Amino acid sequence: MKRRARKAGWTALALTGACALAFQAAPAPAQGSEDGAWPPDTGKGPCAVGKTTDAGARMRDGTVLRADVYRPRTKEKVPVILMRTQYGKEAAEVQPSSYQSPEWFASHCYLVVVQDVRGQYASDGDFYEFANEGKDGYDSVEWAARLPGSNGRVGMYGSSYVGATQWLAAQERPPHLKTIVPDKTSDDYFDGWTYEGGAFRLNFVIPWAMRKIVPSAAANRRDWDTYHQVNRDYQDVQKWLGTAPYNRFEPFHPGDPKVAPYFFDWIKHRTYDDYWRRWAPKENYGKVDIPVLNYAGWYDAFLDGSVRNYQGMAERGGSASARANQRLVIGPWDHTGWGRPTSTPAPLLKQIGPVGNSPVNEMMLAWWDHHLKGKDNGVRKNGVDYFVMGANKWRTAPSWPLPQTRWTDFYLSSTGHATGNTQDGTLSTTPPARNTPADHYTYDPRNPVPSVGGHSCCTAAISTQGPYDQQQIEQRPDIAVYTGAPLAKDTEVTGPITVTLHARSSAPDTDWTAKLIDVHPDGTAVNLNSGIVRASYRESPGEPKPIVPGAVYEYKIKVWPTSNLFKKGHRIRLDISSSDYPQYDPNPNTGSWLGESTERRTAQQTVLHDAAHPSKVTLPVIPDGGRDQGSGTPPQK
């Protein structure tokens, strides 16, 4: 009776709650259906497919996890493709307009297994984010390898948290795991997932947990009161984003260890300590000795970690063969907007058109055919495919950052009136004069700078992600705006970006934000990417130190990577401020934070850019870039 009761209602829950952290991967533009419906029927393989639901796999501690198995009707033994998801195996990350269906992949003569992770949907056990995915992943890979019809070679795929389940399994080194294809996921579940530069990623973490993992875990244990309560609370998520302190976040029942214990642990562990270190893929590349095909998006919540996963494996993977078989594909995508006709990314991403479609399904299939079936099909084993916005072209490179990069410093300057976009602030490759006056503004955490686009999660329809015109927000008096002269020629900027900021604050702790912008001749100011540093985290993510009010410090702000062709006549701009809400929690300027306190104070901020304090943004300029280079077709192999 218990098993039947749990099963009842799961189809509806899976379809309505499936994968806010899903990704959108798309076939080549020519393979979409004419009406834009997803997934299209085209491109199926030769094998007929049968389906078994709720196949049980017993983990080493006795807990049973359940999967749907899609079996190709063939006498030959075939490789296994495994997805381990917390978003519902019936959904399988197909929507919104993301992966092809499991049946589609199975029709290409693969045994496809889609499994609910522990404590979610049809699987038994208690759910705790990240904690069980390593050992459960190992056991599930080995179980799948022994299924009837399997040839013992297993690959994995999936996006976001489903990418995390791959990395956490891979670092356990299951013998039958031969490759993974993680999409839009991170190398670290502290920095670049829950926090960034010391700031709490408020607008991702709380809506995601409220919409995606707390209710489904409640339904799994048949706690329907909590399930309905959290779903009701989510309808007013903007109110809850403004509720502090987070360590007493009412919708998640503080004090009840069954509802969301992981959330309160995330708040408790606000530094990079052993709690986070045990799960970070970046700590374990040496244990991973398989090929990896990574996907990332220029406006995705986990872009920086996806890039670092590629770099880390290419440099420190567990074998020479693994290091030589690392691929990275970066497209013009937010977390779920992959350019499909039915997807809803930010409007400026949508305008890119079919050239920006994700090729993930075709590329995965070719990758698996090569690494799991041994086909000599021309799959490129290493390197980077990246989409250059502005040029709207796909290009390739042998490594990241691009070998031909010219790191170019653009210095901030003004006559002391750069705030409010008065056109006083400038960017130039000429270092500042000795006595250039500083810029000043007041940062009030009770009136933070609103987020307008950026790298976040999970859909542009309800959160701040993607490219948007920044002109209106730049009129605020708490944003210092620095703009270069019109460019004399097309200039490609592709790679990581660093802002070196010399600044002081009247507070014992505060935040500094930076945003790189492409200014069009008509004044449209499109954000490319951004970054933040909490002043107390300026030296280390593990040992925060307060600042001395009034003292000048040098801060390094990591602006996440981009690839953009600044066309002739366009201008490069950098915005500096101290808040980006609700993308990040507002720093209260007290030395504490809103995870533990509700007190807020105003801070007086000063940005210096004289000869002794040369504030600058260092851009990765690509000298051989140009609008006529590259391909108008997404990569296929």
Side-chain angles (χ1 to χ4, degrees), residues 77 189 342 422 471 534 633:
K77 292 185 179 296
Y189 308 124
T342 58
T422 61
Q471 288 184 92
R534 187 144 291 183
T633 302

Side-chain angles (χ1 to χ4, degrees), residues 158-179:
S159 187
S160 198
Y161 188 82
V162 189
T165 67
Q166 297 173 65
W167 281 109
L168 293 170
Q171 63 196 40
E172 296 289 325
R173 306 186 78 162
H176 292 92
L177 183 63
K178 303 304 179 184
T179 187

Side-chain angles (χ1 to χ4, degrees), residues 6 70 149 206 260 287 320 340 345 446-447:
R6 173 176 286 170
Y70 302 81
I206 284 181
K287 297 179 181 178
R340 308 227 191 262
R446 289 154 295 206
N447 181 27

Side-chain angles (χ1 to χ4, degrees), residues 46 82 121 130 223 241 254 263 286 302 341 364 366 402 450 466 526:
L82 172 65
Y121 292 85
F130 307 119
D223 178 0
L241 288 174
F263 174 82
F302 309 125
M364 283 199 305
L402 277 56
V526 179

Side-chain angles (χ1 to χ4, degrees), residues 240-381:
W240 291 110
L241 288 174
T243 301
Y246 311 132
N247 64 6
R248 297 202 296 272
F249 192 66
E250 183 180 337
F252 293 166
H253 300 206
D256 185 342
K258 294 182 180 180
V259 176
Y262 43 86
F263 174 82
F264 296 105
D265 284 344
W266 299 341
I267 301 303
K268 179 181 178 182
H269 294 273
R270 61 178 299 237
T271 62
Y272 188 62
D273 58 14
D274 287 343
Y275 174 86
W276 301 104
R277 197 171 286 112
R278 57 182 164 167
W279 294 323
K282 70 181 183 182
E283 302 282 354
N284 294 286
Y285 295 134
K287 297 179 181 178
V288 181
D289 60 357
I290 56 177
V292 182
L293 172 57
N294 297 275
Y295 285 85
W298 291 127
Y299 292 93
D300 178 53
F302 309 125
L303 163 65
D304 196 52
S306 297
V307 172
R308 292 198 305 253
N309 277 332
Y310 165 76
Q311 289 179 284
M313 282 297 298
E315 296 169 2
R316 307 192 303 279
S319 68
S321 175
R323 293 190 292 274
N325 283 272
Q326 301 298 314
R327 288 285 301 279
L328 173 64
V329 180
I330 318 177
W333 311 312
D334 57 28
H335 200 69
T336 59
W338 287 26
R340 308 227 191 262
T342 58
S343 68
T344 55
L348 292 180
L349 290 181
K350 188 82 168 181
Q351 290 176 15
I352 289 173
V355 67
N357 282 5
S358 170
V360 66
N361 293 300
E362 285 67 34
M363 286 192 74
M364 283 199 305
L365 190 59
W367 183 264
W368 292 334
D369 283 350
H370 178 75
H371 290 286
L372 297 178
K373 292 184 176 179
K375 291 184 178 181
D376 185 10
N377 58 1
V379 161
R380 192 159 58 88
K381 295 182 179 181

Side-chain angles (χ1 to χ4, degrees), residues 367-447:
W367 183 264
W368 292 334
D369 283 350
H370 178 75
H371 290 286
L372 297 178
K373 292 184 176 179
K375 291 184 178 181
D376 185 10
N377 58 1
V379 161
R380 192 159 58 88
K381 295 182 179 181
N382 52 47
V384 182
D385 297 276
Y386 64 99
F387 186 87
V388 185
M389 297 178 290
N392 286 358
K393 296 286 188 179
W394 288 94
R395 298 191 181 135
T396 62
S399 60
W400 186 271
L402 277 56
Q404 69 270 39
T405 302
R406 291 182 182 172
W407 303 102
T408 306
D409 292 333
F410 290 80
Y411 295 92
L412 284 61
S413 188
S414 76
T415 64
H417 304 284
T419 59
N421 200 11
T422 61
Q423 308 301 313
D424 180 61
T426 62
L427 275 182
S428 170
T429 54
T430 302
R434 174 175 294 184
N435 296 318
T436 302
D439 290 302
H440 308 271
Y441 62 88
T442 299
Y443 161 48
D444 185 352
R446 289 154 295 206
N447 181 27

Side-chain angles (χ1 to χ4, degrees), residues 546-582:
I547 58 175
V548 176
V552 176
Y553 292 88
E554 179 182 277
Y555 299 95
K556 296 290 186 180
I557 306 175
K558 177 196 290 184
V559 174
W560 283 18
T562 193
S563 180
N564 184 69
L565 184 71
F566 290 86
K567 295 181 179 179
K568 179 181 178 180
H570 286 221
R571 294 177 291 164
I572 300 171
R573 175 175 289 172
L574 186 73
D575 287 355
I576 299 293
S577 191
S578 293
S579 55
D580 186 351
Y581 173 84

